[in-house]
Amino acid sequence: MSEAVAQTVGERFRELYGAEPQGVWAAPGRVNLIGEHTDYNDGFVMPFALPHTAVAAVSRRDDGVLRLHSADIDAAPVDLRVADLAPETDRSWTAYPSGVVWALREAGHEITGADVHLASTVPSGAGLSSSAALEIVVALALNDLYALGLRGWQLARLCQRAENVYVGAPVGIMDQTASACCEAGHALFLDTRDLSQRQIPFDLAAEGMRLLVVDTQVKHSHSEGEYGKRRAGCEKGAALLGVDALRDIPYAELDAALERLGDEEEVRRLVRHVVTEDERVERVVALLESGDTRAIGPVLVEGHASLRDDFRISCPELDLVVDTALGAGALGARMTGGGFGGSAIVLVEAADVDDVTKAVEEAFATAGFTAPRVFEAVPSAGARRLSPAA
């Protein structure tokens, strides 16, 4: 499969630029199993990579020109000067790859240009990190072509800076790290404070289960205001409680912390979600490591209720997925990603996949919602070079 993708993207590169690419790279989208809106609070997350990827055919240039083309945009390549790249000057798709070039140059790496052709199978706006995949694949290609010697977590940091500063979206570090560092057959237990990582085996098929992704087709944008409001509220909570980040509030001391916040009701809700969500991540890790995988289902449901009621970032379509799936026999379900649309995940017995999928599709039709896209999430490899072999 990867060889065929590399060949297709390479052929399009030749049509666009009249030469062979120096290489083809891929970086995946991700699903977050548990740990939502904890990454920018220095907390714990547990994503895994999807088989859906952003793929880039790239060649180095030494004349200061960055040429970008997307298979999803019916237009000629966009020509930019690397010396002219500046934060928040671009509101199109090109901000993501050009932001990576800007971030690398800001960090002292002499990037003198590139020809880039991009294609992606990661659904856009579905809460599956399509933008992070786009950033990481460009960063990895430039890391190889310019022999920068950067590790996956370092590329993730630079791509987060590109999205925070260049694009203007206040995202945390999880998405980029997942795309860069996940391993096939595993979920990534990530401490977002120091980026320490543990690969946790996560082979549902071997245990007779599946994890479905239900893309509600409700689009969202992290650079819009509601995401930023939640982040600002969390920062306010940390300041009021006298800690560097909400990660520093122990779960056992949550009630006391909430009492100290007094009548700051909105901040109280945000703090409660983050502290309990960190505890849920640790609980899921313990359950998976003990072999009690089915027991994570109720923890996923707890996470959805917290995101819906405390963080208030769900929507009718996401709630309908969760309620319907559970009613049809699912082991657990919750929204995943930044919220306000996007996708939900559903943990099911393998024998129940068709019944749960049908129930969700029928519920959407009855409600008059756009038909959802349902597919199985298989823990897959992180960013890698497809051709020539690394």
Side-chain angles (χ1 to χ4, degrees), residues 5 26-29 50-55 119-122 133 381 384:
V5 171
L50 289 167
H52 307 72
T53 59
V55 180
S120 180
T121 59
V122 185
R384 61 220 182 260

Side-chain angles (χ1 to χ4, degrees), residues 49-188:
L50 289 167
H52 307 72
T53 59
V55 180
V58 186
S59 286
R60 174 174 169 165
R61 296 178 67 102
D62 297 315
D63 59 358
V65 174
L66 175 64
R67 293 198 294 182
L68 302 170
H69 184 268
S70 169
D72 298 323
I73 308 295
D74 186 19
V78 176
D79 285 20
L80 303 168
R81 300 287 306 180
V82 296
D84 296 337
L85 300 178
E88 299 195 55
T89 58
D90 184 354
R91 294 300 181 188
S92 73
W93 70 270
T94 58
Y96 296 97
S98 62
V100 171
V101 174
W102 171 84
L104 286 167
R105 286 169 57 85
E106 282 286 298
H109 303 291
E110 190 175 352
I111 307 299
T112 55
D115 287 336
V116 181
H117 169 61
L118 292 153
S120 180
T121 59
V122 185
S124 177
L128 304 175
S129 299
S130 58
S131 59
L134 192 62
E135 293 157 358
I136 289 292
V137 75
V138 171
L140 181 62
L142 296 175
N143 185 53
D144 287 355
L145 292 177
Y146 283 87
L148 302 181
L150 298 173
R151 299 174 64 185
W153 67 268
Q154 293 172 305
L155 295 177
R157 282 284 192 212
L158 287 164
C159 289
Q160 182 199 19
R161 176 167 169 75
E163 193 155 352
N164 286 171
V165 180
Y166 195 91
V167 178
V171 299
I173 190 63
M174 176 182 67
D175 296 350
Q176 291 83 1
T177 307
S179 186
C181 300
C182 279
E183 295 181 3
H186 294 76
L188 178 68

